Amino acid sequence: MSTYQIPKLTLVGAGPGAEDLITLRGIKALQGADVVLYDALVNPTLLEHAKPEALKVYVGKRRQALRYTQEQINTLIVDLAFTHGHVVRLKGGDPHVFGRGNEELQYADSYNIDTEFIPGISSAIGVAGLAGIPVTQRGISESVWVVTGTTREGTLSDDVLQAARSNATVVILMGVHRLDEIVEIFKKEGKAGTAIAVIQNGSLPGEQYVLGTVDTIATLVAAKNMAAPAIMVVGEVVRQHSRFQLEQIAQAHLIY
Ligand SMILES: C[S@@+](CC[C@H](N)C(=O)[O-])C[C@H]1O[C@@H](n2cnc3c(N)ncnc32)[C@H](O)[C@@H]1O
């Protein structure tokens, strides 16, 4: 005889990758989960916090063979909440930063399923900080813009141009494959000499980064064969990185 489980959805931010960058509240939610649905950018070791009998379902969009659409994920959450009880939806970084997290909360809510949100450390801020770059600093940058390099239509967001025109630190997610386009935008705004960092796999063992200027960054990224997941940080705060000056001297001798 099966016991009735109260349906619930908890949307949890897993942080940027390292297993100890999730919140304590997030771990507690995992411990109480009957089902965990997790994404490609979630560290799989986090699943060990869930009960052995909890159902664990990978719904990431990176391994093409197992691709779920957003609509299928929404339906799965609702179905599993009614059949199994507490669904924890674990997403990389913070689910509300380019994570489509609210769509899942709203969908579950439309079925009168109880929902809870547990934020996570977004790669936009956390990966930069972990790499030694503060996204704002008194006297250097008064604001930070977090922009997507890839919109719903698959194009570069117009906001990149608006951001390039501002004095803000600009953090671009999902943009490394459009680096050339992004570089051109900043150059047109007279920012060829502005400092820029690209950080891949932040907080993970495979982390790598490059520090350059808008002018040099494409060469540096190509030399290290960098790809997603990576963030770009554009702005003078990048010069606060302890190796920035040293790297510029080294590059001046190696590249040019
Ligand atoms: C769909 S967005 C999700 C962002 C996530 N919600 C967050 O707050 O970090 C995925 C993008 O986040 C960035 N990203 C996520 N984790 C990262 C990491 N560990 N290192 C560098 N970039 C990362 C990359 O730009 C990646 O393409």
Side-chain angles (χ1 to χ4, degrees):
M1 199 175 77
S2 66
T3 51
Y4 175 73
Q5 306 282 344
I6 297 169
K8 178 173 178 179
L9 166 65
T10 306
L11 177 61
V12 179
E19 60 184 323
D20 52 355
L21 287 175
I22 189 172
T23 63
L24 195 51
R25 194 180 291 190
I27 288 177
K28 284 181 182 162
L30 278 170
Q31 288 167 341
D34 298 303
V35 180
V36 182
L37 299 187
Y38 63 103
D39 273 358
L41 291 176
V42 164
N43 190 323
T45 61
L46 289 175
L47 300 175
E48 291 166 16
H49 293 288
K51 294 174 283 200
E53 66 272 24
L55 187 66
K56 289 129 192 149
V57 188
Y58 173 78
V59 291
K61 294 175 184 146
R62 271 161 203 259
R63 294 177 222 156
Q64 296 302 317
L66 291 174
R67 198 183 167 99
Y68 283 82
T69 63
Q70 186 61 52
E71 290 66 32
Q72 286 169 330
I73 294 171
N74 292 350
T75 308
L76 202 57
I77 288 171
V78 167
D79 289 350
L80 288 170
F82 281 120
T83 55
H84 288 67
H86 186 192
V87 175
V88 164
R89 177 70 169 106
L90 195 56
K91 296 181 84 85
D94 185 288
H96 285 337
V97 179
F98 304 127
R100 305 191 70 172
N102 209 40
E103 294 173 45
E104 297 177 8
L105 290 177
Q106 287 171 333
Y107 191 79
D109 188 57
S110 73
Y111 284 84
N112 289 322
I113 292 171
D114 227 17
T115 62
E116 184 184 345
F117 172 69
I118 302 179
I121 298 174
S122 177
S123 64
I125 312 292
V127 163
L130 285 163
I133 300 167
V135 291
T136 66
Q137 184 161 324
R138 198 176 161 99
I140 298 175
S141 168
E142 292 175 0
S143 64
V144 52
W145 289 36
V146 179
V147 189
T148 178
T150 308
T151 63
R152 186 156 62 164
E153 291 75 31
T155 56
L156 187 70
S157 169
D158 288 342
D159 288 0
V160 175
L161 173 61
Q162 302 305 324
R165 288 179 176 159
S166 77
N167 292 322
T169 301
V170 182
V171 180
I172 305 170
L173 272 60
M174 295 177 279
V176 75
H177 61 293
R178 294 185 182 274
L179 185 60
D180 291 343
E181 246 177 286
I182 292 166
V183 159
E184 279 316 306
I185 289 171
F186 279 87
K187 275 191 192 167
K188 275 192 192 135
E189 297 306 315
K191 295 195 169 163
T194 299
I196 174 168
V198 177
I199 309 155
Q200 180 185 1
N201 287 324
S203 83
L204 291 166
E207 173 171 331
Q208 56 173 352
Y209 66 87
V210 288
L211 304 166
T213 58
V214 167
D215 243 353
T216 61
I217 201 72
T219 311
L220 300 170
V221 165
K224 284 206 175 176
N225 225 354
M226 293 175 84
I231 64 159
M232 268 171 242
V233 186
V234 195
E236 293 311 310
V237 285
V238 174
R239 293 183 196 271
Q240 298 304 302
H241 191 286
S242 58
R243 289 192 57 81
F244 187 83
Q245 293 305 342
L246 217 60
E247 295 275 332
Q248 301 321 289
I249 294 165
Q251 287 159 26
H253 287 91
L254 286 172
I255 300 176
Y256 301 107

